[in-house]
């Protein structure tokens, strides 16, 4: 919490009649408390700079806008050319989509409206695009015809491209907000979260989103207090209002009274004290009371999280979610660019292993740099996600593998493949690895010639076939986030069913146990990198299943270590057996919490 927040609150109090304090509840997805001025982002609108322009600058601003239109049109022509190389059924859909986007850019209501707004309202082109899009969206929302109402997505797409082209001069979303700002939106995507600099953004809250979606995971990794699935949020906050986000209890307070701010401040200080105490464990090895040594690694998404992993005392990067390198940009990163990013992380880990997962876009993680490869899907979580996309786009996969192999010349790396469900998929990825090794060796590029090739076990199919998959790969990484989602058929990012998402369901626990046992029988290393790993509530259970390698968001590592230091691994094993005998998740939860109290 920023003390300046209180000052802002005071200043505002003198301005206008004070608006009453209001409380909202949601899912506290990332612990911590933050108070600051709200920055409200409208749904479907990218965060853009807004400013007024002088009368004599109008023509230049319109010319700048037209340049962005021309650039957008030529980008779409480029995408159309690329689409022709795709299989006909995909190319057909894409052609249709891109034609619609072209229409939006030629003399349309969007383009005409933006020019009129620059001229009449004298606002900058980016802001004019946003305002015009809002107006069109409102008009569409009132339409009875579902087909026409659905066309708003095309307008949004075209507007997004225009804004990106207008702001391509290095504009960083949220960069203009005052430090400690709380971002408020209907929806915050993982790609939006990747743009949040914790030096500026103090926390966020959104109406949509579940605790296990990637937006929540990013918030935890960045240590940003966050509340998602906030009911009644729409229209309740104005930019500049003071808001308090309580990521521990899942609360949002709008226009908090001084007494409320003081109460939250006390709780925030207590949390900080606890963090400082835990930081003392940094150099201590994670060994249970009876001598079981556990390796604790970190999950990171963005290169700038490396410092957090180092501070937490990570023994390696157990999961690098490489998809974030592909987000918020027009073209996917080149092999060289990926190499440089990975090399920095490998160098930073100074000899500790770095596990780089190949691209896992699809489902809730979308990257418009890959737009031409991904067509909208009715069931994106069951669609062209992760390894399925990689195998369909060999050039992307091979560039990524090459970057990992090259980074491997600087320190130990491992390749990890997401969403594997069959031995065949592993064989195809291995072929791509072998081919890339041959290419780089011929070119005398220094590489790691034998990186371990592991797979995520994150679908029920993979868990149940773990013994078969074990024969084809070098290690397993248990992805309990997706494993829970696919086993229970619960969307991990949907606040409406968030209460049903339960990794303690007997089916999920049996699958974890089954896959762990299969790895042990095959003498295959196995780790767990789902969110279960970072919650000390589950540490005894996981040790009890025989797991000795856990990877988690950096802020969670010290708490999990503290828990391990207090545990007895043999007692944990008996506890895990007892859990597996149960038939109800509620009973399992009681036993889990009871064991925690008693040890
Ligand atoms: C998982 O599914 O548990 C996992 C670690 O991968 P992600 O959260 O990136 O899907
Ligand atoms: Mg996953």
């Amino acid at each position: 919490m920023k003390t300046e927040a209180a000052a802002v609150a005071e200043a505002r109090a003198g301005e206008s009649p004070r608006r009453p304090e209001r409380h909202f509840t949601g899912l506290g997805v990332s612990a911590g408390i933050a108070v600051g001025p709200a920055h409200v982002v409208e749904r479907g609108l990218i965060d853009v700079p807004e400013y007024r322009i002088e009368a004599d600058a109008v023509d230049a601003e319109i010319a700048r806008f037209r340049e962005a239109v021309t650039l957008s049109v030529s980008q779409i022509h480029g995408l159309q050319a690329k689409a022709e190389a795709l299989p006909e059924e995909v190319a057909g859909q894409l052609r249709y989509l891109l034609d619609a986007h072209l229409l939006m850019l030629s003399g349309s209501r969007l383009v005409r409206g933006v020019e009129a707004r620059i001229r009449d309202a004298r606002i900058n082109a980016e802001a004019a695009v946003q305002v015009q899009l809002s107006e069109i969206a409102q008009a569409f929302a009132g339409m009875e015809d579902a087909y026409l109402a659905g066309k708003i997505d095309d307008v949004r797409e075209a507007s997004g491209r225009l804004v990106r082209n207008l702001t391509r001069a290095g504009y960083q979303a949220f960069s203009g907000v005052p430090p400690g700002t709380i971002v408020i939106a209907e929806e915050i995507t993982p790609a939006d979260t990747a743009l949040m600099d914790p030096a500026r953004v103090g926390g966020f809250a959104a109406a949509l989103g579940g605790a296990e979606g990637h937006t929540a995971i990013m918030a935890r990794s960045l240590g940003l207090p966050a509340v998602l699935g906030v009911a009644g949020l729409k229209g309740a906050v104005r930019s500049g209002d003071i808001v308090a986000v309580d990521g521990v209890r899942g609360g949002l307070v709008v226009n908090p009274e001084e007494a409320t701010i003081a109460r939250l401040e006390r709780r925030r200080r207590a949390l900080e004290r606890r963090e400082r105490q835990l930081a003392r464990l940094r150099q201590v090895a994670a060994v249970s009371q009876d001598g079981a040594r556990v390796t604790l690694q970190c999950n990171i998404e963005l290169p700038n999280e490396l410092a957090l992993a180092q501070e937490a005392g990570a023994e390696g990067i157990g999961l690098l979610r490489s998809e974030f390198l592909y987000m918020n940009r027009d073209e996917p990163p080149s092999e060289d660019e990926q190499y440089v990013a990975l090399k920095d992380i490998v160098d930073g880990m100074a000899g500790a292993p770095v596990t780089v997962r190949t691209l896992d876009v699809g489902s809730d993680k979308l990257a418009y740099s890959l737009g031409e490869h991904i067509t909208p899907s009715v069931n994106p979580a069951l669609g062209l996600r992760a390894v399925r996309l990689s195998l369909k786009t060999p050039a992307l996969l091979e560039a990524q593998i090459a970057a990992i192999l090259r980074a491997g010349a600087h320190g130990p790396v491992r390749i990890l493949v997401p969403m594997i469900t069959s031995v065949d998929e592993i064989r195809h990825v291995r072929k791509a690895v072998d081919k890339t090794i041959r290419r780089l060796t011929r070119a005398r590029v220094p590489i790691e010639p034998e990186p371990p090739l592991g797979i995520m076990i994150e679908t029920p199919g993979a868990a149940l076939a773990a013994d078969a998959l074990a024969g084809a790969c070098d290690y397993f990484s248990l992805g309990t986030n997706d494993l829970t989602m696919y086993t229970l058929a619960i969307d991990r990012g949907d606040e409406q069913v968030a209460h049903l998402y339960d990794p303690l369901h007997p089916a999920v626990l049996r699958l974890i146990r089954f896959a762990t046992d299969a790895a042990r029988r095959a003498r295959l290393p196995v780790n767990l990198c789902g969110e279960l790993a970072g919650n000390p509530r589950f540490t005894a259970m996981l040790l009890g299943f025989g797991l000795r390698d856990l990877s988690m968001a950096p802020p969670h590592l010290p708490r999990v270590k503290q828990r391990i230091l207090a545990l007895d691994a043999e007692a944990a094993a008996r506890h895990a057996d007892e859990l597996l005998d149960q038939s109800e998740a509620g009973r399992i939860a009681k036993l889990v919490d009871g064991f925690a109290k008693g040890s």
Side-chain angles (χ1 to χ4, degrees):
M1 177 166 14
K2 312 277 175 231
T3 39
E4 67 206 72
V8 183
E10 262 170 43
R12 286 182 60 81
E15 270 171 20
S16 54
R18 219 195 128 71
R19 296 210 300 147
E21 173 174 304
R22 291 182 68 193
H23 289 247
F24 297 85
T25 49
L27 305 161
V29 301
S30 178
I33 292 169
V35 180
H39 174 75
V40 180
V41 185
E42 272 189 61
R43 177 157 194 248
L45 302 186
I46 312 170
D47 186 59
V48 301
E50 283 179 25
Y51 48 91
R52 288 189 64 76
I53 49 170
E54 299 299 328
D56 59 1
V58 165
D59 287 344
E61 192 65 5
I62 290 182
R64 191 169 79 86
F65 172 65
R66 288 187 181 161
E67 255 174 51
V69 173
T70 309
L71 180 59
S72 302
V73 167
S74 80
Q75 285 166 344
I76 295 177
H77 284 148
L79 291 178
Q80 280 176 324
K82 283 189 191 168
E84 293 314 315
L86 298 172
E88 180 46 34
E89 86 240 43
V90 186
Q93 276 192 46
L94 241 130
R95 228 177 274 133
Y96 175 74
L97 210 80
L98 294 172
D99 280 349
H101 293 177
L102 276 181
L103 266 179
M104 301 297 157
L105 294 170
S106 54
S108 64
R109 178 172 170 188
L110 175 66
V111 172
R112 280 182 282 117
V114 171
E115 294 195 4
R117 282 176 197 284
I118 297 174
R119 202 176 312 108
D120 304 337
R122 298 232 306 269
I123 51 176
N124 63 312
E126 293 90 338
V129 172
Q130 301 291 67
V131 178
Q132 184 64 14
L133 171 58
S134 270
E135 190 198 273
I136 298 177
Q138 266 173 19
F140 273 56
M143 285 184 186
E144 301 266 301
D145 184 323
Y147 171 77
L148 281 179
K151 295 306 274 175
I152 186 61
D153 288 338
D154 294 333
V155 188
R156 281 192 206 288
E157 274 288 327
S159 306
R161 181 175 294 281
L162 281 171
V163 170
R164 290 200 295 278
N165 286 330
L166 282 164
T167 55
R168 54 182 27 225
Y171 173 72
Q172 180 78 38
F174 307 122
S175 63
V177 298
T181 288
I182 310 293
V183 177
I184 306 282
E186 180 161 15
E187 181 175 16
I188 294 176
T189 66
D192 295 332
T193 320
L195 294 174
M196 291 184 190
D197 172 3
R200 294 241 149 229
V201 175
F204 63 83
L208 304 180
E212 308 304 328
H214 286 94
T215 298
I217 289 177
M218 287 285 295
R220 292 194 279 272
S221 285
L222 291 167
L224 282 178
V227 183
L228 297 181
V230 182
L233 183 61
K234 196 163 184 215
V237 188
R238 297 184 309 207
S239 280
D241 279 348
I242 294 300
V243 290
V245 173
D246 179 351
V248 183
R249 298 186 182 162
L252 179 77
V253 190
V254 182
N255 299 314
E257 304 277 349
E258 263 176 42
T260 308
I261 295 185
R263 212 169 35 247
L264 287 166
E265 171 72 1
R266 277 196 296 279
R267 281 186 44 223
R268 189 189 65 84
R269 275 202 231 105
L271 285 173
E272 265 187 12
R273 261 196 310 279
R274 202 166 128 63
E275 297 299 324
R276 275 198 301 275
Q277 279 161 3
L278 285 171
R280 296 196 197 122
L281 296 178
R282 190 178 179 281
Q283 307 288 353
V284 177
V287 182
S288 71
Q289 290 285 314
D290 54 344
R293 171 77 166 92
V294 184
T295 302
L296 298 181
Q297 306 192 67
C298 279
N299 298 348
I300 63 171
E301 287 75 30
L302 305 167
N304 64 10
E305 286 168 38
L306 174 67
L308 299 175
Q310 288 164 332
E311 266 166 45
E315 296 176 83
I317 300 300
L319 170 63
L320 171 59
R321 289 183 166 98
S322 63
E323 43 278 7
F324 288 87
L325 296 173
Y326 290 68
M327 288 182 181
N328 299 307
R329 49 186 300 150
D330 288 318
E331 295 288 333
S334 66
E335 175 190 316
D336 282 348
E337 191 182 338
Q338 293 182 70
Y339 159 67
V340 171
L342 297 180
K343 175 188 171 304
D344 283 351
I345 294 170
V346 170
D347 282 343
M349 289 310 290
V354 175
T355 300
V356 186
R357 189 173 69 184
T358 57
L359 203 51
D360 182 19
V361 286
S363 197
D364 68 336
K365 282 181 288 193
L366 295 177
Y368 52 73
S369 65
L370 298 169
E372 88 232 51
H373 301 293
I374 305 178
T375 41
S377 161
V378 180
N379 268 321
L382 306 181
L384 193 60
R385 182 184 166 181
V387 69
R388 300 166 188 177
L389 176 69
S390 294
L391 291 176
K392 200 160 173 281
T393 52
L396 282 180
L397 174 64
E398 286 164 25
Q400 189 166 36
I401 291 172
I404 302 172
L405 296 170
R406 289 170 61 190
H410 303 271
V413 291
R414 309 197 306 169
I415 300 176
L416 177 60
V417 193
M419 289 287 288
I420 286 282
T421 53
S422 72
V423 169
D424 216 37
E425 286 168 332
I426 309 175
R427 282 203 197 108
H428 279 105
V429 174
R430 211 181 265 286
K431 270 195 197 148
V433 174
D434 291 345
K435 181 177 163 203
T436 311
I437 290 175
R438 283 197 302 277
R439 168 170 77 79
L440 294 172
T441 311
R442 268 198 311 274
R444 298 181 188 282
V445 177
I447 56 165
E448 157 61 79
E450 286 181 28
L453 179 67
I455 62 167
M456 295 287 295
I457 299 284
E458 53 184 343
T459 63
L464 289 169
D467 37 8
L469 299 173
C473 66
D474 302 320
Y475 67 95
F476 284 166
S477 190
L478 304 186
T480 46
N481 308 337
D482 278 318
L483 188 61
T484 307
M485 164 161 108
Y486 291 114
T487 303
L488 304 181
I490 300 291
D491 185 341
R492 53 194 270 200
D494 185 342
E495 70 289 347
Q496 301 173 86
V497 286
H499 60 291
L500 299 173
Y501 180 97
D502 189 355
L504 292 181
H505 189 290
V508 180
L509 298 193
R510 284 169 201 181
L511 290 170
I512 297 174
R513 178 58 170 255
F514 190 86
T516 310
D517 286 352
R520 189 174 35 76
R521 282 194 303 275
R523 297 181 194 286
L524 209 66
V526 54
N527 67 68
L528 192 147
C529 64
E531 295 295 291
L532 276 186
N535 188 339
R537 186 178 171 221
F538 305 123
T539 308
M541 175 181 89
L542 300 181
L543 258 58
F545 287 158
L547 287 156
R548 293 292 181 269
D549 190 344
L550 304 173
S551 189
M552 64 207 73
H556 296 165
L557 194 146
R559 254 166 281 161
V560 171
K561 189 184 278 184
Q562 187 188 41
R563 181 77 188 110
I564 293 169
L565 294 172
L567 274 177
D568 183 284
E570 290 217 357
R574 289 192 295 278
H575 164 60
D577 286 343
E578 190 184 6
L579 298 182
L580 286 166
D581 285 340
Q582 308 305 317
S583 52
E584 281 175 56
R587 171 80 188 133
I588 294 175
K590 280 208 179 85
L591 288 172
V592 163
D593 294 333
F595 187 82
K597 274 201 198 107
S599 58

